Coordinates of all heavy atoms in Angstrom, one line a residue:
K1131 N -11.6 -13.6 -8.4 CA -11.7 -12.4 -9.2 C -12.4 -11.3 -8.4 O -11.9 -10.2 -8.3 CB -12.4 -12.6 -10.5 CG -12.6 -11.4 -11.3 CD -12.1 -11.5 -12.6 CE -12.3 -10.3 -13.4 NZ -11.4 -10.1 -14.4
Y1132 N -13.5 -11.7 -7.7 CA -14.2 -10.7 -6.8 C -13.3 -10.2 -5.7 O -13.3 -9.0 -5.4 CB -15.5 -11.4 -6.2 CG -16.2 -10.5 -5.3 CD1 -17.0 -9.5 -5.7 CD2 -16.1 -10.7 -3.9 CE1 -17.7 -8.7 -4.9 CE2 -16.8 -9.9 -3.0 CZ -17.6 -8.9 -3.5 OH -18.3 -8.1 -2.6
E1133 N -12.5 -11.1 -5.1 CA -11.7 -10.7 -4.0 C -10.6 -9.7 -4.5 O -10.2 -8.7 -3.8 CB -11.0 -11.9 -3.3 CG -11.9 -12.7 -2.6 CD -12.6 -13.8 -3.4 OE1 -12.3 -13.9 -4.6 OE2 -13.6 -14.4 -2.8
V1134 N -10.0 -10.0 -5.7 CA -9.0 -9.1 -6.3 C -9.6 -7.7 -6.5 O -9.0 -6.7 -6.2 CB -8.5 -9.7 -7.6 CG1 -7.6 -8.6 -8.4 CG2 -7.7 -10.9 -7.4
Q1135 N -10.9 -7.6 -7.1 CA -11.5 -6.3 -7.4 C -11.7 -5.6 -6.1 O -11.5 -4.4 -6.0 CB -12.8 -6.5 -8.1 CG -12.6 -7.0 -9.5 CD -13.9 -7.3 -10.2 OE1 -14.9 -7.6 -9.5 NE2 -13.9 -7.3 -11.5
K1136 N -12.2 -6.3 -5.0 CA -12.5 -5.6 -3.7 C -11.2 -5.1 -3.1 O -11.2 -4.1 -2.5 CB -13.2 -6.6 -2.8 CG -14.7 -6.7 -3.1 CD -15.4 -5.3 -3.0 CE -16.8 -5.4 -3.2 NZ -17.4 -4.0 -3.1
T1137 N -10.1 -5.9 -3.2 CA -8.8 -5.5 -2.7 C -8.3 -4.3 -3.3 O -7.9 -3.3 -2.7 CB -7.8 -6.7 -2.8 OG1 -8.3 -7.8 -2.1 CG2 -6.5 -6.2 -2.2
L1138 N -8.4 -4.2 -4.6 CA -8.0 -3.0 -5.4 C -8.8 -1.8 -5.1 O -8.3 -0.7 -4.9 CB -8.0 -3.3 -6.9 CG -6.9 -4.2 -7.4 CD1 -7.1 -4.5 -8.9 CD2 -5.5 -3.6 -7.2
E1139 N -10.1 -2.0 -4.9 CA -11.0 -1.0 -4.5 C -10.6 -0.4 -3.1 O -10.6 0.8 -2.9 CB -12.4 -1.4 -4.5 CG -13.5 -0.4 -4.2 CD -14.9 -1.0 -4.2 OE1 -15.2 -1.8 -5.2 OE2 -15.7 -0.8 -3.3
Y1140 N -10.3 -1.3 -2.2 CA -9.9 -0.9 -0.9 C -8.6 -0.1 -0.9 O -8.5 0.9 -0.3 CB -9.7 -2.2 0.0 CG -9.2 -1.9 1.4 CD1 -10.0 -1.4 2.4 CD2 -7.9 -2.2 1.7 CE1 -9.5 -1.1 3.6 CE2 -7.3 -2.0 3.0 CZ -8.2 -1.4 3.9 OH -7.7 -1.2 5.2
F1141 N -7.6 -0.6 -1.7 CA -6.4 0.1 -1.9 C -6.6 1.5 -2.5 O -6.0 2.5 -2.0 CB -5.4 -0.7 -2.7 CG -4.7 -1.9 -2.0 CD1 -4.0 -2.8 -2.8 CD2 -4.8 -2.0 -0.6 CE1 -3.4 -3.9 -2.1 CE2 -4.2 -3.0 0.0 CZ -3.5 -4.0 -0.7
R1142 N -7.4 1.6 -3.4 CA -7.7 2.9 -4.1 C -8.4 3.8 -3.1 O -8.0 5.0 -3.0 CB -8.6 2.7 -5.3 CG -7.8 2.2 -6.5 CD -8.7 2.0 -7.7 NE -8.0 1.2 -8.7 CZ -8.5 0.0 -9.1 NH1 -9.6 -0.5 -8.6 NH2 -7.8 -0.7 -10.0
D1143 N -9.4 3.4 -2.4 CA -10.0 4.2 -1.4 C -9.0 4.7 -0.3 O -9.1 5.8 0.0 CB -11.2 3.4 -0.7 CG -12.4 3.2 -1.6 OD1 -12.4 3.8 -2.7 OD2 -13.2 2.3 -1.3
C1144 N -8.2 3.8 0.2 CA -7.2 4.1 1.2 C -6.2 5.2 0.7 O -5.9 6.1 1.3 CB -6.5 2.9 1.7 SG -7.4 1.8 2.7
S1145 N -5.8 5.0 -0.6 CA -4.9 5.9 -1.2 C -5.5 7.2 -1.4 O -4.8 8.2 -1.2 CB -4.4 5.3 -2.6 OG -3.6 4.1 -2.3
N1146 N -6.7 7.3 -1.8 CA -7.4 8.6 -1.9 C -7.5 9.3 -0.5 O -7.3 10.5 -0.5 CB -8.9 8.4 -2.4 CG -8.9 8.1 -3.9 OD1 -8.0 8.5 -4.6 ND2 -9.9 7.4 -4.4
T1147 N -7.7 8.5 0.5 CA -7.7 9.1 1.9 C -6.4 9.7 2.2 O -6.2 10.7 2.7 CB -8.2 8.1 2.9 OG1 -9.5 7.6 2.5 CG2 -8.1 8.6 4.3
I1148 N -5.3 8.9 1.9 CA -3.9 9.3 2.2 C -3.7 10.6 1.5 O -3.1 11.5 2.0 CB -2.9 8.2 1.8 CG1 -3.1 7.0 2.7 CG2 -1.5 8.7 1.8 CD1 -2.3 5.8 2.2
M1149 N -4.0 10.7 0.1 CA -3.7 11.8 -0.7 C -4.5 13.1 -0.1 O -3.9 14.2 0.0 CB -4.1 11.6 -2.1 CG -3.8 12.8 -3.0 SD -2.1 13.3 -3.0 CE -1.3 12.2 -4.1
N1150 N -5.8 12.9 0.2 CA -6.5 14.0 0.8 C -5.9 14.5 2.0 O -5.9 15.7 2.2 CB -8.0 13.5 1.0 CG -8.7 13.3 -0.3 OD1 -8.4 13.9 -1.3 ND2 -9.8 12.5 -0.3
H1151 N -5.5 13.7 2.9 CA -4.9 14.1 4.2 C -3.6 14.8 3.9 O -3.2 15.8 4.5 CB -4.6 12.9 5.1 CG -5.8 12.6 5.9 ND1 -6.9 11.9 5.4 CD2 -6.2 12.8 7.2 CE1 -7.8 11.7 6.3 NE2 -7.4 12.2 7.4
Y1152 N -2.8 14.3 2.9 CA -1.5 14.9 2.6 C -1.8 16.3 2.0 O -1.1 17.3 2.4 CB -0.8 14.0 1.5 CG 0.4 14.7 0.9 CD1 1.6 14.7 1.6 CD2 0.3 15.3 -0.4 CE1 2.7 15.4 1.0 CE2 1.4 15.9 -0.9 CZ 2.6 16.0 -0.2 OH 3.7 16.6 -0.7
L1153 N -2.7 16.4 1.1 CA -3.1 17.8 0.6 C -3.5 18.8 1.6 O -3.3 20.0 1.5 CB -4.0 17.7 -0.6 CG -3.5 16.9 -1.8 CD1 -4.7 16.6 -2.8 CD2 -2.4 17.6 -2.5
L1154 N -4.2 18.3 2.6 CA -4.7 19.2 3.7 C -3.6 19.4 4.7 O -3.9 20.2 5.6 CB -6.0 18.6 4.3 CG -7.2 18.5 3.4 CD1 -8.3 17.7 4.0 CD2 -7.7 19.9 3.1
G1155 N -2.6 18.6 4.7 CA -1.6 18.8 5.8 C -2.0 18.1 7.0 O -1.4 18.5 8.1
T1156 N -2.9 17.2 7.0 CA -3.4 16.5 8.2 C -2.7 15.2 8.4 O -2.6 14.4 7.5 CB -5.0 16.2 7.9 OG1 -5.6 17.4 7.5 CG2 -5.6 15.7 9.2
P1157 N -2.2 15.0 9.6 CA -1.5 13.7 9.9 C -2.5 12.5 9.8 O -3.7 12.7 10.0 CB -1.1 13.9 11.4 CG -1.2 15.3 11.6 CD -2.2 15.9 10.7
L1158 N -1.9 11.4 9.4 CA -2.7 10.2 9.2 C -1.9 9.0 9.6 O -0.7 8.9 9.3 CB -3.1 10.1 7.8 CG -3.9 8.8 7.4 CD1 -5.3 8.9 8.0 CD2 -4.1 8.7 5.8
M1159 N -2.5 8.1 10.4 CA -1.8 6.9 10.9 C -2.4 5.7 10.2 O -3.6 5.6 10.1 CB -1.9 6.8 12.4 CG -1.0 5.9 13.0 SD -1.2 6.1 14.8 CE 0.4 6.1 15.3
I1160 N -1.6 4.9 9.5 CA -2.1 3.7 8.8 C -1.6 2.5 9.6 O -0.4 2.2 9.6 CB -1.6 3.7 7.4 CG1 -2.0 5.0 6.7 CG2 -2.0 2.5 6.6 CD1 -1.3 5.4 5.5
I1161 N -2.5 1.8 10.2 CA -2.2 0.7 11.1 C -3.1 -0.5 10.8 O -4.2 -0.3 10.3 CB -2.2 1.0 12.5 CG1 -3.5 1.5 13.0 CG2 -1.1 2.1 12.9 CD1 -3.7 1.7 14.5
C1162 N -2.6 -1.7 11.2 CA -3.5 -2.9 11.3 C -3.0 -3.7 12.4 O -2.1 -3.3 13.1 CB -3.4 -3.7 9.9 SG -1.8 -4.3 9.5
D1163 N -3.6 -4.8 12.6 CA -3.3 -5.7 13.9 C -1.8 -6.0 14.0 O -1.2 -5.8 15.0 CB -4.1 -6.9 13.9 CG -5.6 -6.6 14.2 OD1 -5.9 -5.6 14.8 OD2 -6.5 -7.5 13.9
E1164 N -1.3 -6.7 12.9 CA 0.1 -7.1 13.0 C 1.1 -6.2 12.3 O 2.3 -6.2 12.5 CB 0.2 -8.5 12.5 CG -0.5 -9.5 13.3 CD -0.4 -10.9 12.8 OE1 0.6 -11.2 12.1 OE2 -1.3 -11.7 13.1
C1165 N 0.6 -5.3 11.5 CA 1.4 -4.3 10.8 C 2.5 -5.0 9.9 O 3.6 -4.4 9.8 CB 2.0 -3.3 11.8 SG 1.8 -1.6 11.2
D1166 N 2.2 -6.2 9.5 CA 3.2 -6.9 8.6 C 2.9 -6.8 7.1 O 3.7 -6.8 6.3 CB 3.4 -8.3 9.1 CG 4.3 -9.1 8.2 OD1 5.5 -8.6 8.0 OD2 3.9 -10.2 7.7
Q1167 N 1.5 -7.0 6.8 CA 1.1 -7.1 5.4 C 0.1 -6.0 5.0 O 0.3 -5.3 4.0 CB 0.5 -8.5 5.2 CG 1.6 -9.6 5.1 CD 2.4 -9.5 3.9 OE1 2.1 -9.1 2.8 NE2 3.7 -9.9 4.1
L1168 N -1.0 -5.9 5.7 CA -2.1 -5.1 5.2 C -1.8 -3.6 5.2 O -1.8 -3.0 4.1 CB -3.4 -5.3 6.1 CG -4.6 -4.6 5.6 CD1 -5.0 -4.9 4.1 CD2 -5.8 -4.8 6.5
S1169 N -1.5 -3.0 6.3 CA -1.2 -1.6 6.3 C 0.1 -1.3 5.4 O 0.1 -0.3 4.7 CB -1.1 -1.0 7.7 OG -0.1 -1.7 8.5
P1170 N 1.1 -2.1 5.5 CA 2.2 -1.8 4.6 C 1.9 -1.9 3.1 O 2.4 -1.2 2.3 CB 3.3 -2.8 5.0 CG 3.0 -3.2 6.4 CD 1.5 -3.1 6.5
S1171 N 1.0 -2.8 2.8 CA 0.5 -3.0 1.4 C -0.3 -1.8 0.9 O -0.2 -1.4 -0.2 CB -0.3 -4.3 1.3 OG 0.5 -5.4 1.5
V1172 N -1.1 -1.2 1.8 CA -1.8 0.0 1.5 C -0.8 1.1 1.2 O -0.9 1.8 0.2 CB -2.7 0.4 2.6 CG1 -3.3 1.9 2.5 CG2 -3.9 -0.6 2.8
V1173 N 0.2 1.3 2.0 CA 1.2 2.3 1.8 C 2.0 2.0 0.5 O 2.3 2.9 -0.2 CB 2.2 2.5 3.0 CG1 3.3 3.4 2.7 CG2 1.4 2.9 4.3
L1174 N 2.3 0.8 0.3 CA 3.1 0.4 -0.9 C 2.2 0.7 -2.2 O 2.8 1.3 -3.1 CB 3.4 -1.1 -0.9 CG 4.2 -1.7 -2.1 CD1 5.5 -1.0 -2.2 CD2 4.3 -3.1 -1.9
Y1175 N 1.0 0.4 -2.1 CA 0.1 0.8 -3.2 C 0.1 2.3 -3.5 O 0.2 2.7 -4.6 CB -1.4 0.3 -3.0 CG -2.3 0.5 -4.1 CD1 -2.5 -0.4 -5.1 CD2 -3.0 1.8 -4.3 CE1 -3.4 -0.1 -6.2 CE2 -3.8 2.0 -5.3 CZ -4.0 1.0 -6.3 OH -4.8 1.3 -7.3
F1176 N 0.0 3.0 -2.5 CA 0.0 4.5 -2.6 C 1.3 5.0 -3.2 O 1.3 5.8 -4.1 CB -0.2 5.1 -1.2 CG 0.0 6.6 -1.3 CD1 -1.1 7.4 -1.7 CD2 1.1 7.2 -0.9 CE1 -1.0 8.8 -1.8 CE2 1.3 8.6 -1.0 CZ 0.2 9.4 -1.4
L1177 N 2.4 4.4 -2.7 CA 3.7 4.9 -3.2 C 3.9 4.5 -4.7 O 4.4 5.3 -5.5 CB 4.9 4.3 -2.4 CG 5.0 4.8 -1.0 CD1 6.0 4.0 -0.2 CD2 5.4 6.3 -1.0
V1178 N 3.4 3.3 -5.1 CA 3.6 2.9 -6.5 C 2.7 3.6 -7.4 O 3.1 4.0 -8.5 CB 3.4 1.3 -6.6 CG1 3.3 0.9 -8.0 CG2 4.5 0.6 -5.8
H1179 N 1.4 3.8 -7.0 CA 0.4 4.4 -7.9 C 0.2 5.9 -7.8 O -0.3 6.4 -8.8 CB -0.9 3.6 -7.8 CG -0.8 2.2 -8.3 ND1 -0.8 1.8 -9.6 CD2 -0.6 1.0 -7.5 CE1 -0.6 0.5 -9.7 NE2 -0.4 0.0 -8.5
Y1180 N 0.4 6.4 -6.7 CA 0.3 7.9 -6.6 C 1.6 8.6 -6.6 O 1.7 9.6 -7.2 CB -0.5 8.2 -5.2 CG -2.0 7.9 -5.3 CD1 -2.4 6.6 -5.4 CD2 -2.9 8.9 -5.3 CE1 -3.8 6.3 -5.5 CE2 -4.3 8.6 -5.4 CZ -4.7 7.4 -5.5 OH -6.0 7.1 -5.6
A1181 N 2.5 8.1 -5.9 CA 3.9 8.8 -5.9 C 4.7 8.3 -7.1 O 5.8 8.8 -7.3 CB 4.6 8.6 -4.6
K1182 N 4.3 7.3 -7.8 CA 5.0 6.7 -9.0 C 6.4 6.3 -8.7 O 7.3 6.5 -9.5 CB 5.0 7.8 -10.1 CG 3.6 8.3 -10.5 CD 2.8 7.3 -11.0 CE 1.5 7.8 -11.5 NZ 0.4 6.8 -11.7
I1183 N 6.6 5.7 -7.5 CA 7.9 5.1 -7.2 C 7.9 3.6 -7.6 O 6.9 2.9 -7.4 CB 8.1 5.2 -5.6 CG1 8.1 6.7 -5.3 CG2 9.3 4.5 -5.2 CD1 8.2 6.9 -3.7
N1184 N 9.0 3.2 -8.1 CA 9.2 1.8 -8.5 C 8.9 0.9 -7.3 O 9.3 1.2 -6.1 CB 10.6 1.6 -9.0 CG 11.0 0.1 -9.2 OD1 11.3 -0.6 -8.2 ND2 10.9 -0.3 -10.4
I1185 N 8.2 -0.2 -7.5 CA 7.7 -1.1 -6.4 C 8.9 -1.5 -5.5 O 8.8 -1.5 -4.3 CB 6.8 -2.2 -6.8 CG1 6.1 -2.9 -5.7 CG2 7.5 -3.1 -7.7 CD1 5.0 -3.8 -6.0
D1186 N 10.0 -2.0 -6.1 CA 11.1 -2.5 -5.4 C 11.8 -1.5 -4.5 O 12.2 -1.7 -3.4 CB 12.1 -3.3 -6.3 CG 11.4 -4.5 -7.0 OD1 10.8 -5.3 -6.2 OD2 11.5 -4.6 -8.2
L1187 N 11.9 -0.3 -5.2 CA 12.5 0.9 -4.4 C 11.6 1.3 -3.3 O 12.0 1.5 -2.1 CB 12.7 2.1 -5.3 CG 13.2 3.3 -4.7 CD1 14.5 3.1 -4.0 CD2 13.4 4.5 -5.7
A1188 N 10.2 1.3 -3.5 CA 9.3 1.6 -2.4 C 9.4 0.6 -1.3 O 9.4 1.0 -0.1 CB 7.9 1.6 -3.0
I1189 N 9.6 -0.6 -1.6 CA 9.7 -1.6 -0.5 C 11.0 -1.4 0.3 O 11.0 -1.4 1.5 CB 9.7 -3.1 -1.1 CG1 8.3 -3.4 -1.7 CG2 10.1 -4.1 -0.1 CD1 8.3 -4.7 -2.5
K1190 N 12.1 -1.1 -0.4 CA 13.3 -0.8 0.3 C 13.2 0.5 1.2 O 13.7 0.5 2.3 CB 14.4 -0.6 -0.7 CG 15.0 -1.8 -1.3 CD 16.1 -1.5 -2.3 CE 16.6 -2.8 -3.0 NZ 17.7 -2.5 -4.0
L1191 N 12.5 1.5 0.6 CA 12.3 2.7 1.4 C 11.5 2.4 2.7 O 11.8 2.9 3.8 CB 11.6 3.8 0.6 CG 12.4 4.4 -0.5 CD1 11.5 5.2 -1.4 CD2 13.5 5.3 0.0
M1192 N 10.5 1.6 2.5 CA 9.6 1.3 3.7 C 10.3 0.5 4.7 O 10.2 0.7 5.9 CB 8.3 0.6 3.2 CG 7.4 1.4 2.4 SD 6.0 0.5 1.6 CE 5.2 -0.1 3.1
K1193 N 11.1 -0.5 4.2 CA 11.9 -1.4 5.2 C 13.0 -0.6 5.9 O 13.4 -1.0 7.0 CB 12.5 -2.6 4.5 CG 11.4 -3.6 4.2 CD 12.1 -4.8 3.6 CE 11.4 -6.1 3.9 NZ 11.5 -6.6 5.3
S1194 N 13.4 0.5 5.3 CA 14.4 1.4 6.0 C 13.9 2.1 7.1 O 14.5 2.5 8.0 CB 15.1 2.3 4.9 OG 14.2 3.4 4.7
K1195 N 12.5 2.3 7.1 CA 11.8 2.9 8.2 C 11.2 2.0 9.3 O 11.2 2.2 10.4 CB 10.7 3.8 7.7 CG 11.1 4.9 6.7 CD 12.0 5.9 7.4 CE 12.4 6.9 6.4 NZ 13.4 7.8 7.0
K1196 N 10.9 0.8 8.8 CA 10.3 -0.3 9.7 C 10.8 -1.6 9.2 O 10.2 -2.1 8.2 CB 8.8 -0.1 9.8 CG 8.1 -1.1 10.8 CD 6.7 -0.7 11.0 CE 6.0 -1.5 12.0 NZ 6.4 -2.7 12.5
V1197 N 11.7 -2.2 9.8 CA 12.4 -3.4 9.2 C 11.5 -4.7 9.3 O 11.7 -5.6 8.5 CB 13.8 -3.7 9.9 CG1 14.8 -2.6 9.6 CG2 13.6 -3.9 11.4
N1198 N 10.6 -4.7 10.2 CA 9.8 -5.9 10.4 C 8.5 -5.9 9.6 O 7.5 -6.4 10.1 CB 9.6 -6.2 11.8 CG 8.8 -5.2 12.6 OD1 8.8 -4.1 12.1 ND2 8.1 -5.6 13.6
I1199 N 8.5 -5.3 8.4 CA 7.3 -5.5 7.5 C 7.6 -6.4 6.4 O 8.8 -6.6 6.1 CB 6.9 -4.1 7.0 CG1 8.0 -3.4 6.2 CG2 6.3 -3.2 8.1 CD1 7.6 -2.2 5.4
F1200 N 6.6 -7.0 5.9 CA 6.8 -7.9 4.8 C 7.8 -9.0 5.1 O 8.6 -9.4 4.2 CB 7.2 -7.2 3.5 CG 6.2 -6.1 3.0 CD1 6.7 -4.9 2.7 CD2 4.9 -6.4 2.9 CE1 5.8 -3.9 2.2 CE2 4.0 -5.4 2.4 CZ 4.5 -4.2 2.1
D1201 N 7.8 -9.5 6.3 CA 8.7 -10.6 6.8 C 8.6 -11.8 5.9 O 9.6 -12.5 5.7 CB 8.5 -10.9 8.2 CG 9.1 -9.8 9.2 OD1 9.9 -9.1 8.7 OD2 8.6 -9.8 10.3
E1202 N 7.4 -12.1 5.4 CA 7.3 -13.3 4.6 C 7.1 -12.9 3.1 O 6.5 -13.6 2.3 CB 6.0 -14.1 5.0 CG 6.1 -14.5 6.5 CD 4.7 -15.1 6.9 OE1 3.8 -15.2 6.1 OE2 4.6 -15.4 8.1
G1203 N 7.7 -11.8 2.8 CA 7.6 -11.3 1.4 C 6.3 -10.5 1.2 O 5.4 -10.5 2.1
V1204 N 6.1 -9.8 0.2 CA 4.9 -9.0 -0.1 C 3.9 -9.9 -0.8 O 4.0 -10.2 -1.9 CB 5.3 -7.8 -1.0 CG1 4.1 -6.9 -1.2 CG2 6.4 -7.0 -0.5
R1205 N 2.9 -10.3 0.0 CA 2.0 -11.3 -0.5 C 1.2 -10.7 -1.7 O 0.8 -11.5 -2.6 CB 1.0 -11.7 0.6 CG 1.7 -12.5 1.6 CD 0.7 -13.0 2.7 NE 1.3 -13.4 3.9 CZ 0.9 -13.3 5.1 NH1 -0.2 -12.7 5.4 NH2 1.6 -13.7 6.1
L1206 N 1.0 -9.5 -1.8 CA 0.2 -8.9 -2.9 C 1.1 -8.1 -3.9 O 0.6 -7.2 -4.6 CB -0.9 -7.9 -2.2 CG -1.9 -8.6 -1.3 CD1 -2.7 -7.6 -0.6 CD2 -2.7 -9.6 -2.1
Y1207 N 2.3 -8.5 -3.9 CA 3.3 -7.9 -4.8 C 2.8 -7.8 -6.2 O 2.8 -6.7 -6.9 CB 4.6 -8.7 -4.8 CG 5.7 -8.0 -5.6 CD1 6.7 -7.1 -5.0 CD2 5.9 -8.3 -7.0 CE1 7.7 -6.6 -5.8 CE2 6.9 -7.7 -7.7 CZ 7.8 -6.9 -7.1 OH 8.8 -6.3 -7.9
S1208 N 2.4 -8.8 -6.9 CA 2.0 -8.8 -8.3 C 0.7 -8.0 -8.5 O 0.6 -7.4 -9.4 CB 1.9 -10.2 -8.9 OG 0.9 -11.0 -8.2
L1209 N -0.2 -8.2 -7.5 CA -1.4 -7.4 -7.6 C -1.2 -5.9 -7.6 O -1.7 -5.1 -8.4 CB -2.4 -7.8 -6.5 CG -3.7 -7.0 -6.4 CD1 -4.6 -7.4 -7.5 CD2 -4.4 -7.3 -5.1
I1210 N -0.3 -5.4 -6.7 CA 0.1 -4.0 -6.6 C 0.8 -3.6 -7.8 O 0.5 -2.5 -8.4 CB 0.9 -3.7 -5.3 CG1 -0.1 -4.0 -4.1 CG2 1.4 -2.4 -5.3 CD1 0.6 -4.0 -2.7
K1211 N 1.8 -4.4 -8.2 CA 2.7 -4.0 -9.3 C 1.9 -3.9 -10.7 O 2.1 -3.1 -11.5 CB 3.8 -5.0 -9.5 CG 4.8 -4.7 -10.6 CD 5.9 -5.6 -10.7 CE 6.9 -5.1 -11.8 NZ 8.0 -6.0 -11.9
N1212 N 1.0 -4.9 -10.9 CA 0.3 -5.0 -12.2 C -1.1 -4.2 -12.2 O -1.7 -4.2 -13.3 CB 0.1 -6.4 -12.5 CG 1.4 -7.1 -12.7 OD1 2.4 -6.6 -13.2 ND2 1.5 -8.3 -12.2
S1213 N -1.5 -3.6 -11.2 CA -2.8 -3.0 -11.2 C -2.6 -1.5 -11.8 O -1.5 -0.9 -11.7 CB -3.4 -2.9 -9.8 OG -2.6 -2.2 -9.0
N1214 N -3.7 -1.1 -12.4 CA -3.6 0.3 -12.9 C -4.3 1.3 -12.0 O -5.2 1.2 -11.4 CB -4.3 0.4 -14.3 CG -3.4 -0.5 -15.3 OD1 -2.2 -0.5 -15.3 ND2 -4.1 -1.1 -16.2

């Protein structure tokens, strides 16, 4: 439960940063070591909760830009989909 709360807090903080940069017109790069789960999950959370895009459509959009993300599926799918 603690890990879930911390993960959601991290996603919200990152999403706020993304939104602030967007509103200021400032470029922002979202990366992680392997770029397969963590950074794509941050972007997915942003698209679902801030841009209000359906999670499955958001995944398709992201994979159309970078095909080698979520190779093993979206590990945090239900967490992102069901969080408020």
Side-chain angles (χ1 to χ4, degrees):
K1131 177 124 180 157
Y1132 175 78
E1133 290 85 8
V1134 169
Q1135 290 174 339
K1136 282 299 186 184
T1137 301
L1138 287 173
E1139 184 179 313
Y1140 175 74
F1141 283 166
R1142 286 184 195 112
D1143 289 346
C1144 290
S1145 292
N1146 286 333
T1147 300
I1148 294 169
M1149 182 57 83
N1150 290 336
H1151 278 75
Y1152 172 76
L1153 293 173
L1154 293 171
T1156 307
L1158 178 68
M1159 199 174 225
I1160 302 163
I1161 59 171
C1162 61
D1163 287 339
E1164 295 181 22
C1165 228
D1166 176 52
Q1167 288 290 325
L1168 182 58
S1169 56
S1171 292
V1172 167
V1173 174
L1174 181 61
Y1175 182 91
F1176 175 81
L1177 291 173
V1178 169
H1179 293 282
Y1180 283 68
K1182 304 296 184 197
I1183 297 175
N1184 171 277
I1185 190 168
D1186 296 312
L1187 177 59
I1189 293 167
K1190 284 181 184 178
L1191 290 169
M1192 291 173 65
K1193 283 185 150 288
S1194 75
K1195 300 295 179 190
K1196 187 169 185 339
V1197 295
N1198 62 335
I1199 57 169
F1200 301 131
D1201 285 338
E1202 298 171 9
V1204 183
R1205 292 184 194 145
L1206 299 172
Y1207 183 94
S1208 62
L1209 178 69
I1210 294 169
K1211 182 176 182 179
N1212 298 320
S1213 63
N1214 292 326

